[in-house]
Amino acid sequence: MEKGVAVRLDKVSFSYGEAPFLFDVEFAASKITAIMGASGSGKSTLLNLVAGFETPQSGRVLIGGADVGASAPSARPVSMVFQENNLFAHLSVEKNVGLGRSPSLGLTEADRAAIAEALSRVGLAGKEKRLPRELSGGERQRVALARVLVRDRPVLLLDEPFASLGPSLRDDMLDLVAGVHAERAMTVLFVTHQPEDARRIGEDMVFLDNGRVAATGTAADFFDGTGPEAFRRYIGASSGGSRDIARKRT
Ligand SMILES: Nc1ncnc2c1ncn2[C@@H]1O[C@H](COP(=O)(O)OP(=O)(O)OP(=O)(O)O)[C@@H](O)[C@H]1O
């Protein structure tokens, strides 16, 4: 099983035609880093640059020290889970997970065993033959996580994967991610709007503002009240202050 690897954006510049983004940041190997920032600050763009869905205008994306600039998304050592639309509607749960092993679904016995194990790990044993529409929103995200497990890449990109789920289900899913992370030690980049989610599983924090990295540090530092001023202002504005966040968890 592969261990996590550091992810570095080395002076990566990018633009959709308007205000430019400039990312110069390293995500530590085998850690869960929560990425926060106001809407439009560039969180999804940063993940898309790592995944290879967008191409830097200059600078380099390094994964485990290797420049992945020339690699297509499928060749990069990453898997990604989005807020929704992770699954193919016409394929069963089992096949959606199988795509993590083989894009053509040419599955070996060993692949099938890995798929069954992954589905069991995320609590979906017995639902292999269902179609995505026959699942709840939370179950669909479990299928996406099972696919991450069989894909077994050292970097996991999560783009608000549980944002549409209710709070208690969200906590269950976060605990599942934390459990999988404890087993696999992948490097996780976790985009979230929810300070309590970042606090629950985040070890490190990256705070974006206006297309740039405005602050980095440990989650403990960010949330104990001494974190960066810009971050305190952000969570103060979005959720009524950091002390409320501490309380919400208890
Ligand atoms: N495909 C695109 N074409 C043009 N502009 C885009 C595109 N995708 C994003 N943008 C713009 O780039 C900026 C950053 O978008 P991005 O999705 O990275 O922000 P975000 O921090 O993830 O926001 P949110 O929290 O709302 O998801 C926004 O101003 C957005 O409008």
Side-chain angles (χ1 to χ4, degrees):
M1 214 174 297
E2 288 179 276
K3 289 283 178 199
V5 291
V7 173
R8 170 148 189 76
L9 286 84
D10 177 23
K11 299 188 184 66
V12 167
S13 71
F14 176 77
S15 166
Y16 289 111
E18 295 173 16
F21 300 87
L22 183 62
F23 298 122
D24 194 37
V25 63
E26 176 154 328
F27 297 89
S30 298
K31 290 248 167 99
I32 300 179
T33 302
I35 302 172
M36 299 194 67
S39 188
S41 59
K43 304 181 295 296
S44 298
T45 302
L46 192 159
L47 291 198
N48 286 332
L49 286 160
V50 174
F53 298 129
E54 301 291 0
T55 306
Q57 277 152 0
S58 63
R60 297 180 306 162
V61 176
L62 303 162
I63 301 181
D67 185 341
V68 296
S71 307
S74 61
R76 296 191 183 195
V78 306
S79 27
M80 188 153 176
V81 179
F82 303 92
Q83 185 170 344
E84 49 197 20
N85 298 323
N86 290 291
L87 307 182
F88 287 94
H90 63 290
L91 294 180
S92 66
V93 162
E94 202 170 44
K95 287 187 172 156
N96 267 291
V97 176
L99 289 172
R101 273 294 158 117
S102 157
S104 62
L105 288 174
L107 300 171
T108 64
E109 271 315 301
D111 290 336
R112 287 179 199 289
I115 293 163
E117 192 188 325
L119 281 170
S120 160
R121 175 71 184 81
V122 302
L124 287 180
K127 296 187 173 160
E128 295 81 1
K129 305 290 178 202
R130 293 210 193 168
L131 291 172
R133 67 164 177 272
E134 296 166 330
L135 300 173
S136 70
E139 287 171 338
R140 281 198 287 274
Q141 294 308 67
R142 285 173 193 267
V143 176
L145 282 179
R147 183 163 58 206
V148 164
L149 289 175
V150 302
R151 201 166 141 83
D152 202 18
R153 301 285 164 110
V155 177
L156 173 57
L157 308 176
L158 300 173
D159 196 353
E160 299 189 63
F162 312 129
S164 61
L165 308 178
S168 106
L169 187 52
R170 227 169 60 218
D171 283 353
D172 290 347
M173 300 298 287
L174 290 169
D175 292 348
L176 182 56
V177 168
V180 165
H181 174 256
E183 290 160 25
R184 302 271 173 113
M186 347 69 130
T187 306
V188 181
L189 278 57
F190 172 42
V191 167
T192 179
H193 273 116
Q194 305 295 335
E196 61 270 33
D197 291 4
R199 196 180 167 119
R200 190 176 184 95
I201 66 166
E203 301 172 274
D204 286 344
M205 293 284 301
V206 165
F207 179 62
L208 301 186
D209 186 26
N210 207 11
R212 306 220 182 229
V213 175
T216 60
T218 64
D221 282 348
F222 266 61
F223 287 106
D224 74 2
T226 61
E229 168 65 22
F231 177 72
R232 288 213 307 276
R233 246 183 289 124
Y234 169 68
I235 57 172
S238 68
S239 66
S242 55
R243 268 177 287 124
D244 284 350
I245 291 151
R247 252 184 273 131
K248 257 183 223 156
R249 296 198 64 221
T250 55

